[in-house]
């Protein structure tokens, strides 16, 4: 089994040491580099070729949000998980739109942080229930009507099956769950997810979920009793 190549980015050396000790003990994770600021990440990317970057959201020079936007603009972009001491807010939403695969609170139990790295490496987003709740609140915010109109316009490029898959992704279902619910194989689900990402020019499943929230599709499902 090929190890997950992980890059750690945090301005606190004690945090980096703790993360390195915690994650380095996993048989399937290899820490290929460390950085103390977002400004160092792109150069390290070229040398270490990580699969996942675990990065602090708050750093003195280039923060995790800016670094995420820069990384996700690259063709060889790794998955990014941001470390934070606070729950979702506008900064979290900005990072998700930039392509972050999720968030891990710094007080998360070690086993859950290891699991989060594995999930992201496998292509699944990592969002806590708090983040999910705030995404739903965000969809009902003051600019919801404008966002809904724009989001629904973007979704018109999807066919009916792709739209169903996009809604299922927005609900946080795994590929296996979607396959069961929509009566298709996991391989077919993966194909549909790939097509949705390509048609909408998105980086990952989190961005599909955001678009589904903005379009009001999840609210419609709740209203219909699903």
């Amino acid at each position: 089994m090929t190890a997950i190549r992980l890059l750690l980015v945090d301005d606190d050396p004690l945090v980096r040491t703790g993360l390195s000790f915690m994650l380095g003990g996993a048989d399937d994770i290899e820490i290929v580099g460390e950085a103390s600021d977002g400004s160092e990440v792109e150069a390290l990317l070229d040398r270490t070729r990580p699969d996942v970057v675990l990065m602090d959201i708050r750093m003195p020079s280039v923060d995790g949000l800016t670094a995420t936007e820069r990384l996700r603009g690259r063709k060889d972009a790794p998955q990014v998980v941001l470390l934070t001491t606070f729950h979702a807010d506008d900064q979290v939403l900005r990072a998700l739109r930039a392509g972050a695969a999720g968030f891990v609170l710094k007080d998360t139990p070690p086993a859950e942080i290891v699991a989060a790295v594995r999930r992201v490496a496998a292509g699944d987003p990592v969002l806590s229930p708090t983040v999910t709740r705030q995404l739903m609140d965000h969809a009902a915010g003051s600019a919801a009507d404008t966002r809904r109109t724009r989001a629904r316009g973007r979704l018109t490029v999807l066919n009916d099956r792709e739209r169903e898959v996009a809604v299922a992704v927005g609900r946080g279902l795994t590929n296996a769950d979607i396959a069961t619910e929509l009566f298709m194989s996991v391989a077919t689900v993966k194909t549909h997810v790939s097509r949705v990402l390509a048609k909408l020019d998105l980086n990952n499943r989190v961005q599909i979920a955001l678009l589904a929230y903005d379009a009001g599709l999840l609210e419609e499902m709740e209203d219909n009793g699903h």
Side-chain angles (χ1 to χ4, degrees), residues 4 10 14 58 64 82 94 102 104 112 120 122 130 155 161 171 184 187 216 226:
I4 299 165
D10 196 298
L14 291 179
R58 289 180 173 172
L82 291 174
R94 173 187 158 194
V104 174
E112 292 183 23
V120 167
T130 301
L155 290 171
R161 203 56 160 166
R171 289 165 54 207
M184 61 177 73
H226 296 290

Side-chain angles (χ1 to χ4, degrees), residues 18-222:
L19 289 171
S20 180
F21 179 78
M22 176 199 315
L23 292 159
D27 293 338
D28 57 341
I29 296 175
E30 177 187 1
I31 298 173
V32 295
E34 297 183 15
S36 60
D37 191 78
S39 60
E40 305 169 20
V41 175
E42 287 193 90
L44 272 174
L45 227 63
D46 294 330
R47 296 203 305 269
T48 62
R49 303 293 181 185
D51 301 306
V52 179
V53 177
L54 184 60
M55 178 159 53
D56 190 10
I57 200 170
R58 289 180 173 172
M59 291 179 286
S61 179
V62 174
D63 62 32
L65 299 175
T66 302
T68 297
E69 290 170 344
R70 292 177 180 176
L71 292 188
R72 295 304 302 175
R74 297 170 57 119
K75 291 182 179 180
D76 59 346
Q79 297 294 338
V80 178
V81 179
L82 291 174
L83 287 165
T84 179
T85 55
F86 57 91
H87 290 281
D89 59 10
D90 288 342
Q91 287 187 316
V92 170
L93 290 167
R94 173 187 158 194
L96 292 176
R97 293 191 186 284
F103 287 81
V104 174
L105 297 177
K106 287 191 174 182
D107 60 359
T108 298
E112 292 183 23
I113 294 180
V114 173
V117 170
R118 289 172 176 155
R119 283 186 58 189
V120 167
D124 293 325
V126 177
L127 294 177
S128 71
T130 301
V131 171
T132 301
R133 181 69 255 171
Q134 292 218 223
L135 289 177
M136 296 180 73
D137 292 342
H138 156 79
S142 60
D145 289 342
T146 299
R147 281 197 303 272
R148 178 165 297 189
T149 299
R150 290 175 178 172
R152 292 197 172 197
R154 291 185 66 187
L155 290 171
T156 57
V157 300
L158 304 182
N159 62 37
D160 290 343
R161 203 56 160 166
E162 290 163 350
R163 187 183 177 94
E164 287 179 326
V165 171
V167 172
V169 170
R171 289 165 54 207
L173 301 184
T174 65
N175 287 340
D177 292 334
I178 297 172
T180 299
E181 183 166 298
L182 298 182
F183 304 103
M184 61 177 73
S185 70
V186 172
T188 301
V189 173
K190 291 180 179 178
T191 297
H192 282 307
V193 171
S194 296
R195 287 175 179 167
V196 170
L197 290 170
K199 285 187 175 183
L200 297 175
D201 193 26
L202 300 176
N203 290 315
N204 57 38
R205 297 168 73 102
V206 176
Q207 291 179 320
I208 295 176
L210 281 169
L211 199 58
Y213 280 120
D214 282 349
L217 301 184
L218 299 165
E219 292 176 38
E220 288 179 0
M221 288 201 66
E222 289 183 357

